[in-house]
């Protein structure tokens, strides 16, 4: 394939991806537009975004960003123009929500290790080899039920210890994001960075 042909294929793919993003944006616009008047109000956007756990002040800031002409409504054109920023904000909110949920879950395990044994033991029964099934969810794990049983054995020996609180430490978040970017490019899952660094090395590199 010559350079000109490759350029045409790339341009066609880019147009296709842009069309798909626009279709996705308009599907959500129509869903949020509950009164079907062709524009989105602050109230309509808030109803949708509270389901993502987004606080009111962030919803207001996002709405003002989308409302380019400042008329108090988000039109279809404004929605399309602001779609990438909207998606970024939602992904950021979901990531922050997951971080808090992980901290809460860790707190439960640390303060009541014995209380988590039954739940983990139940999960171990859902494995067939390395395949994990739960309802309609089917996943392929790296280690299978062996890893779950290791965790159960550890919890049997572990005494309760204080939790970590629910405050997300920004420095640790940055260290984790840096590590994900580092090893993600290689397509591997590892606690060791490409430079041989461990979690303690990375956490010390970012201010807490």
């Amino acid at each position: 394939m010559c350079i000109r042909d490759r350029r045409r294929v790339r341009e066609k793919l880019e147009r296709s991806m842009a069309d798909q993003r626009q279709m996705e944006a308009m599907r959500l616009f129509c869903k949020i537009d509950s009164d079907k008047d062709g524009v989105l109000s602050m109230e309509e956007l808030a109803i949708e975004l509270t389901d993502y756990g987004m606080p009111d002040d962030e919803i207001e800031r996002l709405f003002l960003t989308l409302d380019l002409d400042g008329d108090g409504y988000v039109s279809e054109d404004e929605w399309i123009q602001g779609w990438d920023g909207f998606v970024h904000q939602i992904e950021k909110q979901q990531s922050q929500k997951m971080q808090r949920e992980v901290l809460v879950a860790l707190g439960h395990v640390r303060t009541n290790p014995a209380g988590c044994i039954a739940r983990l033991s139940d999960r171990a029964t859902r494995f067939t080899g390395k395949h994990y099934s739960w309802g309609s969810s089917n996943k392929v794990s790296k280690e299978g039920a062996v890893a779950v049983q290791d965790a159960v054995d550890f919890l049997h020996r572990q005494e309760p210890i204080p939790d970590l609180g629910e405050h997300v430490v920004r420095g640790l978040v940055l260290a984790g994001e840096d590590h994900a970017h580092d090893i993600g490019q290689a397509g591997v899952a590892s606690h060791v960075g490409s430079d041989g660094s461990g979690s303690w090395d990375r956490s010390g590199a970012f201010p807490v």
Side-chain angles (χ1 to χ4, degrees):
M1 182 182 294
C2 68
I3 294 176
R4 181 178 299 175
D5 289 337
R6 286 200 296 269
R7 185 182 300 117
R8 288 174 178 171
V9 170
R10 184 174 66 250
E11 290 173 350
K12 184 177 180 180
L13 287 172
E14 289 174 349
R15 286 196 300 271
S16 176
M17 291 175 65
D19 290 342
Q20 290 177 9
R21 286 197 299 271
Q22 184 165 334
M23 289 174 60
E24 183 180 357
M26 287 312 302
R27 279 196 294 268
L28 185 56
F29 183 94
C30 293
K31 176 188 174 186
I32 297 174
D33 184 19
S34 57
D35 60 7
K36 307 305 177 187
D37 62 352
V39 293
L40 303 183
S41 66
M42 174 80 80
E43 291 74 17
E44 288 173 323
L45 190 65
I47 290 172
E48 177 71 18
L49 295 185
T50 49
D51 290 341
Y52 291 94
M54 186 177 291
D56 292 342
D57 59 334
E58 292 189 19
I59 293 175
E60 183 176 359
R61 282 197 296 270
L62 178 58
F63 183 86
L64 294 175
T65 301
L66 294 168
D67 181 18
L68 298 176
D69 61 9
D71 66 350
Y73 297 94
V74 177
S75 66
E76 291 184 3
D77 288 341
E78 290 173 328
W79 181 255
I80 295 297
Q81 291 182 57
W83 175 248
D84 287 343
F86 171 82
V87 171
H88 173 74
Q89 189 65 26
I90 293 300
E91 290 176 345
K92 177 182 176 183
Q93 185 64 37
Q94 289 178 320
S95 175
Q96 292 173 344
K97 181 181 178 183
M98 182 181 294
Q99 290 169 14
R100 290 190 293 269
E101 290 173 346
V102 168
L103 280 175
V104 171
L106 285 173
H108 290 164
V109 177
R110 289 168 66 94
T111 58
N112 185 21
C116 298
I117 292 174
R119 191 161 60 229
L120 282 178
S121 297
D122 176 66
R123 291 193 177 188
T125 66
R126 301 177 188 275
F127 279 93
T128 301
K130 295 184 178 180
H131 291 261
Y132 179 78
S133 299
W134 188 11
S136 60
S137 176
N138 292 281
K139 307 290 183 182
V140 179
S141 68
K142 184 177 180 180
E143 299 168 310
V146 174
V148 181
Q149 189 57 51
D150 284 346
V152 170
D153 293 342
F154 173 81
L155 291 176
H156 275 295
R157 303 188 303 269
Q158 179 63 41
E159 295 292 329
I161 56 178
D163 65 18
L164 299 171
E166 297 182 21
H167 175 67
V168 176
V169 180
R170 182 59 179 161
L172 295 180
V173 172
L174 292 174
E177 290 176 351
D178 181 68
H179 181 57
H181 177 73
D182 175 33
I183 65 169
Q185 299 182 68
V188 299
S190 173
H191 296 294
V192 180
S194 61
D195 59 355
S197 62
S199 58
W200 290 111
D201 302 312
R202 291 187 295 272
S203 62
F206 292 90
V208 176

